């Protein structure tokens, strides 16, 4: 095991070269109200979409413009569309999905912080047209036809709200439909997971809670989709909050048929678990943290370490390993719950699972609010590295300055080299040892073939704020903007690793 020295002491093994820029400020009129990153059916980055509010057309309609950029920042499509405007009701975006020659975006109507209904629209990339609004109600999709009166009265009184999420997988594309009970009544009566195809017709449903009662009901959540298999978590509840058992369920993506159930824990188990899962080839890899078993679920304050479970494609257990903090963080003098120097806890941030089964676990030294109302503080990251057999290899301390009142230094990650490596990014407001000035830096970290490397680069600017954004493999997108000077530019930069 080894601890890293100051991050400024590393050899710079990344080089940056300007690839392409795009001026967002001059692309469209109006205020930018939503932006999203789009991925193709193999989860490779496809491009970026931006929506601009161009104001009222008349008393009943507003106009929007969308701009679609490909992953190289070339503009490939744009268009305008109108939307109904209701006095006292706001409309906001919450999701956007690329699906072949279409882009599906989702919005909701809200009044006084209460969501009234959600709806979807489809952008055709053939002619840049935008479909009418459509909703899922009464077991089917239909065109939205509502009035201000209905929104403010009928939808407000509704006990539940239907939410549809578009998804795009190479084996299946369409819509997940879920029902959210707004008033927490009859929460135990959700019965099934419904999958609708891109044609909006029902493909199949998975019945997971046929006869739920307040003291005996099931809940199901999709955890991962890959290679024709949907992996989900099935929780059994003995009342509103207590979980009696938790199972990993494998469903055939094309039919919804259940391939297997694997019980991870029940009321007689020794541990409760957090769950991170990926599926490659004929192996299912489950990793996470564990705590003493509790019906209240995994207890972060009693996090005992890291586990890995490997299943075959039919849910048969191949291996199971548990690692304690005192084993994997011995050099940090961690106690059994991952508390290190000065009362900082090794707080979980991300698990990175690679194709061969090796994985890494990123933590952050964290001290939370206590009864004396001291502020949230974070210090260094600590990265734990495990080999393909789930054996602990080493840990790395990634130094950064103290952050107060927030836990947001970690930014995002991307799998690279056909899922055999990962690159992850963080930011740090770093004080210079000589000048004592503080500037923002970007930490760029890779794990390739089990080897960890890091570089930091400055992203401060006297006049502008720089926001790192995920980009295509081998690149990072930097958005540099200043509202006062009306400067808003995207810059695609190359990473050489």
């Amino acid at each position: 095991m080894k601890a890293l020295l100051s991050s400024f002491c590393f050899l710079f093994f990344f080089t940056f070269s300007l690839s392409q820029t795009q001026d967002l400020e001059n692309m469209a009129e109006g205020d930018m109200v939503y932006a999203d990153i789009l991925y193709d059916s193999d989860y490779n980055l496809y491009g970026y979409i931006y929506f601009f509010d161009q104001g009222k057309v008349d008393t009943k309609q507003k106009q929007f413009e969308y701009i679609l950029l490909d992953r190289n920042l070339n503009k490939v499509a744009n268009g305008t569309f109108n939307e109904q405007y209701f006095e006292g009701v706001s409309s906001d975006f919450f999701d956007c999905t690329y699906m072949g020659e279409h882009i599906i975006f989702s919005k909701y109507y809200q009044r006084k912080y209460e969501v009234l209904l959600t709806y979807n629209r489809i952008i055709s990339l053939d002619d840049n047209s935008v479909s009418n609004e459509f909703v899922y109600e009464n077991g089917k999709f239909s065109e939205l036809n509502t009035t201000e009166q209905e929104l403010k009265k009928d939808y407000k009184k509704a006990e539940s709200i239907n939410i549809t999420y578009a998804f795009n997988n190479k084996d299946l594309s369409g819509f997940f439909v879920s029902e959210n009970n707004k008033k927490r009544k009859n929460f135990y009566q959700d019965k099934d997971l419904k999958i609708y195809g891109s044609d909006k017709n029902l493909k199949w449903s998975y019945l997971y809670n046929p006869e739920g009662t307040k003291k005996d009901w099931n809940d199901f959540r999709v955890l991962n989709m890959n290679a024709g298999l949907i992996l989900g978590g099935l929780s059994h509840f003995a009342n509103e909050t207590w979980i009696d058992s938790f199972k990993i369920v494998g469903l055939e993506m094309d039919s919804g048929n259940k391939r297997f159930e694997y019980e991870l824990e029940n009321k007689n188990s020794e541990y409760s678990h957090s769950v991170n899962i990926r599926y490659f080839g004929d192996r299912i890899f489950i990793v996470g943290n564990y705590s003493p078993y509790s019906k209240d679920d995994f207890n972060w304050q009693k996090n005992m370490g890291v586990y890995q479970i490997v299943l075959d494609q039919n849910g048969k257990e191949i291996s199971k390993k548990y690692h304690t903090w005192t084993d994997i963080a011995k050099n940090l003098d961690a106690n059994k719950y991952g508390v290190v120097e000065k009362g900082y806890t090794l707080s979980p941030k991300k698990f990175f699972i690679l194709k061969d089964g090796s994985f890494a676990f990123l933590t952050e030294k964290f001290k939370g609010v206590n009864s004396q109302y001291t502020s949230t503080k974070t210090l260094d990251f600590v990265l734990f590295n495990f080999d393909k057999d789930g054996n602990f290899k080493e840990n790395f301390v990634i130094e950064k300055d103290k952050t107060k009142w927030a836990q947001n230094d970690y930014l995002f990650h991307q799998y690279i080299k056909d899922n055999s490596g990962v690159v992850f990014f963080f930011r740090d407001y770093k004080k210079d040892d000589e000048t004592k000035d503080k500037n923002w830096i970007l930490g760029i970290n890779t794990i390739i073939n089990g080897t960890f490397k890091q570089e930091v680069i400055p992203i401060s600017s006297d006049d502008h704020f720089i926001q790192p954004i995920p980009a295509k493999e081998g690149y990072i997108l930097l958005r540099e903007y200043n509202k006062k000077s009306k400067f808003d530019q995207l810059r695609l930069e190359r990473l050489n690793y």
Side-chain angles (χ1 to χ4, degrees):
M1 293 181 287
K2 56 186 177 182
L4 298 185
L5 301 176
S6 170
S7 53
F8 288 109
C9 296
F10 291 114
L11 292 176
F12 281 4
F13 60 92
F14 288 96
T15 61
F16 281 72
S17 61
L18 184 62
S19 174
Q20 189 169 344
T21 63
Q22 186 66 258
D23 190 350
L24 283 174
E25 189 64 33
N26 296 321
M27 280 202 310
E29 297 293 331
D31 297 324
M32 186 192 299
V33 290
Y34 185 73
D36 210 345
I37 302 169
L38 304 176
Y39 296 86
D40 65 18
S41 61
D42 286 316
Y43 207 69
N44 298 311
L45 193 141
Y46 169 78
Y48 308 88
I49 192 165
Y50 301 88
F51 291 88
F52 298 83
D53 185 343
Q54 297 182 331
K56 292 182 182 178
V57 177
D58 51 40
T59 58
K60 295 184 178 180
Q61 293 190 94
K62 295 179 72 175
Q63 180 169 290
F64 293 84
E65 182 173 2
Y66 70 86
I67 304 288
L68 176 64
L69 306 180
D70 67 14
R71 61 180 189 166
N72 296 314
L73 300 188
N74 299 306
K75 187 165 73 171
V76 295
N78 75 287
T80 60
F81 59 93
N82 290 347
E83 179 178 275
Q84 291 186 88
Y85 172 79
F86 302 105
E87 190 69 38
V89 177
S90 64
S91 175
D92 295 294
F93 296 83
F94 70 89
D95 189 55
C96 198
T97 301
Y98 168 71
M99 192 182 297
E101 293 303 312
H102 300 91
I103 293 174
I104 294 91
F105 63 91
S106 304
K107 301 187 70 175
Y108 60 84
Y109 281 121
Q110 177 177 282
R111 184 168 188 253
K112 295 181 179 179
Y113 305 105
E114 180 181 355
V115 175
L116 303 174
L117 67 84
T118 69
Y119 60 92
N120 302 275
R121 302 184 77 168
I122 298 177
I123 299 172
S124 170
L125 298 183
D126 288 331
D127 58 10
N128 294 344
S129 63
V130 180
S131 75
N132 292 333
E133 300 94 333
F134 61 93
V135 295
Y136 179 86
E137 290 181 325
N138 301 317
K140 64 180 181 179
F141 286 94
S142 59
E143 189 168 310
L144 175 62
N145 185 16
T146 188
T147 64
E148 184 175 323
Q149 178 85 358
E150 289 174 336
L151 275 176
K152 293 181 178 179
K153 290 190 176 181
D154 296 346
Y155 281 99
K156 184 174 176 58
K157 293 179 181 178
E159 294 289 338
S160 61
I161 182 171
N162 291 312
I163 302 176
T164 58
Y165 289 95
F167 65 92
N168 184 26
N169 184 278
K170 63 183 179 182
D171 296 308
L172 180 64
S173 295
F175 299 89
F176 287 116
V177 176
S178 63
E179 183 177 15
N180 179 267
N181 192 283
K182 296 193 296 184
K183 305 183 187 302
R184 289 299 295 163
K185 295 180 180 179
N186 303 329
F187 56 86
Y188 52 86
Q189 291 185 347
D190 290 351
K191 294 184 180 297
D192 53 18
L193 169 71
K194 293 183 175 68
I195 299 291
Y196 286 77
S198 56
D199 59 2
K200 304 178 193 173
N201 292 320
L202 180 66
K203 292 187 69 68
W204 53 263
S205 62
Y206 165 56
L207 182 65
Y208 59 83
N209 186 41
E211 298 177 351
T213 67
K214 287 185 177 181
K215 295 184 179 181
D216 182 12
W217 61 285
N218 295 323
D219 181 64
F220 183 82
R221 294 290 182 269
V222 174
L223 302 175
N224 188 270
M225 296 176 63
N226 187 37
L229 188 64
I230 294 177
L231 296 169
L234 181 66
S235 301
H236 177 255
F237 289 80
N239 59 23
E240 185 172 351
T241 58
W242 285 359
I243 299 176
D244 264 4
S245 69
F246 180 82
K247 298 176 181 178
I248 302 295
V249 177
L251 303 177
E252 300 286 353
M253 201 179 293
D254 60 348
S255 65
N257 292 333
K258 183 168 65 178
R259 186 186 293 184
F260 68 84
E261 284 186 0
Y262 173 83
E263 188 169 70
L264 181 61
E265 61 192 50
N266 58 44
K267 59 185 177 182
N268 298 314
S269 296
E270 186 176 1
Y271 302 121
S272 293
H273 305 77
S274 68
V275 175
N276 303 268
I277 190 166
R278 296 192 83 192
Y279 173 44
F280 295 106
D282 60 352
R283 292 291 183 269
I284 299 167
F285 302 103
I286 310 168
V287 299
N289 298 113
Y290 64 100
S291 64
Y293 180 78
S294 169
K295 286 184 176 182
D296 290 326
D297 208 0
F298 176 80
N299 187 336
W300 296 103
Q301 283 70 46
K302 294 185 177 181
N303 182 358
M304 299 176 67
V306 176
Y307 78 93
Q308 184 208 48
I309 296 173
V310 181
L311 309 178
D312 69 14
Q313 61 182 328
N314 296 311
K316 181 180 179 181
E317 184 181 298
I318 297 174
S319 66
K320 179 190 290 187
K321 293 184 179 180
Y322 290 81
H323 302 277
T324 65
W325 288 120
T326 52
D327 286 338
I328 65 176
K330 189 180 298 181
N331 59 318
L332 303 174
D333 295 325
N335 73 6
K336 66 177 181 179
Y337 293 135
V339 179
V340 292
E341 81 279 3
K342 299 180 180 179
Y344 281 86
T345 298
L346 295 175
S347 174
K349 296 302 294 183
K350 281 291 179 180
F351 281 88
F352 310 116
I353 308 172
L354 303 180
K355 185 167 61 174
D356 65 352
S358 63
F359 66 99
F361 173 42
L362 183 66
T363 67
E364 186 175 36
K365 295 179 183 178
F366 169 77
K367 188 182 290 186
V369 176
N370 60 27
S371 57
Q372 281 75 46
Y373 299 101
T374 59
S375 69
T376 293
K377 303 181 184 72
T378 63
L379 279 175
D380 308 328
F381 290 117
V382 183
L383 181 73
F384 297 86
N385 215 0
F386 299 80
D387 67 19
K388 63 182 180 63
D389 297 314
N391 300 313
F392 172 64
K393 293 177 61 179
E394 55 198 343
N395 67 38
F396 305 93
V397 177
I398 305 171
E399 293 187 0
K400 63 183 180 71
D401 280 7
K402 184 186 294 184
T403 301
K404 293 183 178 181
W405 300 109
Q407 196 178 7
N408 59 2
D409 291 335
Y410 174 83
L411 296 175
F412 51 85
H413 73 278
Q414 293 172 290
Y415 289 104
I416 57 177
K417 297 184 178 295
D418 191 27
N419 287 291
S420 64
V422 65
V423 55
F424 64 92
F425 302 84
F426 70 88
R427 64 176 188 170
D428 186 17
Y429 198 46
K430 189 89 174 174
K431 179 183 290 187
D432 187 274
D433 292 336
E434 295 183 2
T435 67
K436 306 303 180 183
D437 292 335
K438 298 196 77 172
N439 292 286
W440 285 103
I441 64 167
L442 177 66
I444 307 165
N445 313 269
T446 59
I447 305 168
I448 300 173
N449 298 323
T451 300
F452 172 73
K453 293 182 180 179
Q454 184 200 54
E455 186 201 2
V456 295
I457 63 166
I459 56 171
S460 287
S461 171
D462 292 336
D463 300 320
H464 308 116
F465 178 75
I466 298 176
Q467 176 190 7
I469 300 171
K472 63 182 180 179
E473 183 172 334
Y475 290 79
I476 187 169
L477 185 63
L478 301 178
R479 180 185 176 191
E480 187 174 1
Y481 60 96
N482 185 319
K483 291 183 179 179
K484 291 183 179 179
S485 65
K486 298 296 183 182
F487 179 85
D488 196 346
Q489 188 176 80
L490 296 174
R491 192 168 73 247
L492 193 62
E493 303 280 8
R494 179 167 181 157
L495 308 173
N496 293 321
Y497 45 71

